[in-house]
Amino acid sequence: VEELSFLENLLEEKKINAIGEIGLDYFSPELKAKREAQIKNFSIQIELAIKYNLPIVIHARKSFNDIFNLSPKLKNVPSVIFHSYSGTFLEAMSIINHGINAAFSFSKQIIFNNKKSIECVKMLPIENILFETDAPFQNFVKNGFTKMEDILQVYNAAFEIRSEKKLFEKKTIYRLNAVSEVIDGIAGNVEENSDETIEEVRNVVKTIYTTHV
């Protein structure tokens, strides 16, 4: 309570421009045992962010069910940044679809082939993605601290991931166009909905998908 009072004093004096990191962390049994206290404090901090119209930076581990439960409050915060996001793509999209103005920040996870993070960077709208190093603690090399310039590694990895997505989208569009042209051509020569038409379409589609990868 004393720390929350101190926080509000800083807000009243306009000495800070954002609130965070704040959030919920159930990573260990000891932390999970403090779940109710965490939720209470987090809720108060969200209310302060709404009152003073400030963004928040969220630290969340193994706690997304409770994050979703707080959606009615979170959607009233001007901006919500999920630091070192560890959730899934579907969870991220659900947060966005709940009306929360959210951005999801990624670091070394995408360099070290974390599948969930890579899918998020590949599939989330670009306007909902941020990058970070969390310097100096999310070390990129064994027994070494992260330097600020290591952010370049994160951006390079993200560029590669997004480039792969664009290539996939181009191939998909090509395939759909090719299938459409084939169907139009077959429909003009074979009786509509005949067994021959269906079988021919199947064979051509199979050929397109196996030869244009």
Side-chain angles (χ1 to χ4, degrees):
V1 176
E2 291 178 0
E3 292 178 356
L4 290 170
S5 298
F6 175 70
L7 173 61
E8 185 154 23
N9 287 337
L10 293 176
L11 292 167
E12 287 177 350
E13 295 170 9
K14 301 186 184 301
K15 290 186 176 180
I16 56 178
N17 297 316
I19 300 175
E21 298 171 27
I22 60 176
L24 304 172
D25 191 331
Y26 307 153
F27 186 72
S28 67
E30 292 79 14
L31 288 170
K32 194 169 184 178
K34 300 176 181 178
R35 174 177 173 270
E36 294 302 324
Q38 288 191 54
I39 292 173
K40 180 180 179 181
N41 287 329
F42 185 37
S43 296
I44 294 171
Q45 290 163 334
I46 294 171
E47 290 167 2
L48 289 173
I50 296 168
K51 178 179 178 180
Y52 291 94
N53 196 37
L54 289 178
I56 62 175
V57 180
I58 290 181
H59 169 102
R61 289 197 297 180
K62 297 184 179 295
S63 57
F64 282 100
N65 284 340
D66 285 335
I67 295 290
F68 289 129
N69 291 337
L70 290 165
S71 293
K73 287 186 178 181
L74 288 171
K75 68 181 182 181
N76 293 314
V77 178
S79 181
V80 178
I81 299 171
F82 285 85
H83 150 70
S84 196
Y85 180 68
S86 60
T88 67
F89 166 68
L90 291 178
E91 286 172 331
M93 286 306 302
S94 181
I95 288 167
I96 293 170
N97 292 333
H98 272 74
I100 299 168
N101 183 25
F104 305 88
S105 186
F106 302 91
S107 182
K108 70 175 185 178
Q109 307 99 315
I110 63 173
I111 295 174
F112 297 134
N113 296 318
N114 182 288
K115 291 182 179 179
K116 289 193 298 183
S117 297
I118 288 172
E119 183 184 23
C120 286
V121 171
K122 181 180 291 186
M123 302 304 296
L124 281 171
I126 193 69
E127 62 268 21
N128 297 103
I129 299 175
L130 295 173
F131 302 110
E132 62 176 284
T133 62
D134 198 27
F137 298 113
Q138 282 194 21
N139 54 308
F140 286 24
V141 294
K142 191 174 181 179
N143 300 323
F145 286 119
T146 302
K147 299 176 182 178
M148 286 189 291
E149 56 265 31
D150 288 336
I151 190 65
L152 292 174
Q153 295 183 49
V154 182
Y155 271 88
N156 286 335
F159 177 80
E160 293 296 327
I161 292 167
R162 297 291 294 197
S163 296
E164 289 175 7
K165 180 192 176 189
K166 287 182 179 179
L167 181 60
F168 173 79
E169 288 172 343
K170 286 180 180 178
K171 289 180 178 179
T172 301
I173 291 170
Y174 170 82
R175 290 165 176 165
L176 291 174
N177 288 338
V179 170
S180 178
E181 290 173 6
V182 168
I183 291 173
D184 288 343
I186 294 172
N189 298 313
V190 184
E191 183 180 349
E192 187 177 359
N193 296 326
S194 69
D195 291 339
E196 292 88 348
T197 303
I198 294 170
E199 187 60 30
E200 190 168 352
V201 169
R202 283 176 178 166
N203 289 336
V204 173
V205 169
K206 182 177 180 180
T207 301
I208 291 170
Y209 270 77
T210 55
T211 58
H212 297 283
V213 176

